[in-house]
Amino acid sequence: MTARPSPDHHPSPRPSGPQDSSAAPFGARPSPDHHPSSADPFGARLRRAMDERGPLCVGIDPHAALLADWGLNDDVAGLARFTRTVVEALGESVAVFKPQSAFFERFGSRGLAVLETAVVEARERGALVLMDAKRGDIGSTMAAYAATYLDPASPLFSDAVTVSPFLGYGSLRPAVDLARENGCGLFTLALTSNPEGQEVQRAVRADGSTVAATMLGHLAAENAGAEPLGSFGAVVGATLGDLSSFDLAINGPLLAPGIGAQGATPADLPTVFGDAVHNVLPSVSRGVLRHGPDAAALRAAVDRFTGEVRTALA
């Protein structure tokens, strides 16, 4: 059996940046007891957070180029420093953080430890955590994915998680059921902003409906009767232009990636989402993160985007 490599075998050619010894404790594994389940369903908590803090989701995407832009090494210490800075600077002001799990997983168990701590500390500051994992499988495997993010006993227990329905919406049932049981949410891929997505999402089924429309219909059924907002959302790209041919009134949140670096602006939201625009949760990653590591600059970027979104939705 091949010996497991040391986590120290993550060399980076990037120059050393403003690292400090305080980065290491951020990667310490938190106790699952720090993840209490809320009595309120996710949709209600999200509506409250959006109303109180502003309708903005900030991605935490510590990819190598962004770490370098911050003057950090592409290693676990750089990852921890980056993540701590974002959480500490914005955790008391943004409604939702969306950590992209892949950027932590690439460092193995030490990277996941940083992610676990980030989830705990973000939630302790009052932000909701949407884990961007895009998991999708069948049967016991999907149940295991669901338990990873939606079981309060898990170190990665989050308020919501992104899921992929393209093994059939019914394959998501373990996640749907566990989310409902624990007051969590799901964001199901429906109309993503990447051009490749159209070959699946806009494919026409035998009954004449598109795959995307079918997924939106399933989500509307999950959210039927929920007040003030259902907990089962869709991922719909803000870069897609007029989507009036799709019924986005699912009584649930619409996660809208693409604001900022991908080219969409808050002013585009009414055109894309129409009457459903007030349930939109715009997601910004690089548009905010590129202003780091200065905490004040990060907060100013969030304030600017939040103000632009509120103006667009008025």
Side-chain angles (χ1 to χ4, degrees):
M1 179 179 293
T2 303
R4 185 182 298 274
S6 166
D8 295 333
H9 291 174
H10 286 291
S12 171
R14 306 191 185 282
S16 177
Q19 323 266 359
D20 67 13
S21 60
S22 65
F26 191 80
R29 290 182 179 270
S31 167
D33 294 339
H34 289 180
H35 295 292
S37 180
S38 172
D40 293 330
F42 172 73
R45 291 185 288 123
L46 177 61
R47 178 83 276 165
R48 185 164 58 245
M50 292 170 66
D51 291 345
E52 293 176 356
R53 294 185 171 209
L56 194 68
C57 170
V58 173
I60 305 179
D61 298 355
H63 53 75
L66 193 51
L67 293 177
D69 289 344
W70 279 37
L72 299 170
N73 288 336
D74 186 20
D75 56 18
V76 175
L79 176 76
R81 180 65 181 271
F82 176 95
T83 307
R84 169 190 278 116
T85 299
V86 173
V87 171
E88 291 184 348
L90 305 178
E92 295 180 3
S93 58
V94 301
V96 181
F97 280 124
K98 183 174 69 65
Q100 170 47 258
S101 180
F103 291 119
F104 297 85
E105 293 173 29
R106 70 192 184 99
F107 292 105
S109 61
R110 294 178 67 195
L112 286 173
V114 173
L115 181 58
E116 291 170 5
T117 303
V119 170
V120 172
E121 297 200 356
R123 297 183 83 226
E124 286 177 345
R125 286 170 167 78
L128 301 178
V129 174
L130 164 57
M131 186 65 68
D132 195 359
K134 298 184 179 70
R135 299 301 194 234
D137 215 303
I138 61 173
S140 60
T141 306
M142 190 65 230
Y145 280 138
T148 300
Y149 306 107
L150 305 173
D151 184 337
S154 170
L156 285 171
F157 176 62
S158 303
D159 296 285
V161 63
T162 56
V163 292
S164 173
F166 299 119
L167 287 170
Y169 183 82
S171 68
L172 301 179
R173 183 51 55 188
V176 171
D177 291 345
L178 196 60
R180 200 180 295 279
E181 176 184 341
N182 291 324
C184 299
L186 298 181
F187 284 86
T188 299
L189 302 180
L191 288 160
T192 58
S193 55
N194 62 305
E196 303 89 343
Q198 295 191 27
E199 67 184 61
V200 174
Q201 296 157 18
R202 302 201 188 210
V204 178
R205 303 173 62 237
D207 64 2
S209 62
T210 63
V211 172
T214 300
M215 298 307 158
L216 293 168
H218 284 302
L219 295 170
E222 300 290 357
N223 292 323
E227 294 182 358
L229 188 67
S231 297
F232 299 93
V235 180
V236 178
T239 58
L240 296 179
D242 184 356
L243 292 176
S244 57
S245 60
F246 292 92
D247 185 359
L248 300 178
I250 63 170
N251 192 33
L254 300 167
L255 179 69
I259 302 290
Q262 293 184 45
T265 69
D268 296 322
L269 296 174
T271 298
V272 178
F273 293 95
D275 292 341
V277 72
H278 293 288
N279 290 338
V280 169
L281 178 65
S283 178
V284 182
S285 295
R286 282 171 290 174
V288 168
L289 300 178
R290 66 183 178 84
H291 294 281
D294 181 77
L298 289 168
R299 287 191 287 268
V302 165
D303 289 343
R304 183 176 67 255
F305 275 112
T306 300
E308 290 176 0
V309 169
R310 282 178 162 153
T311 297
L313 302 189

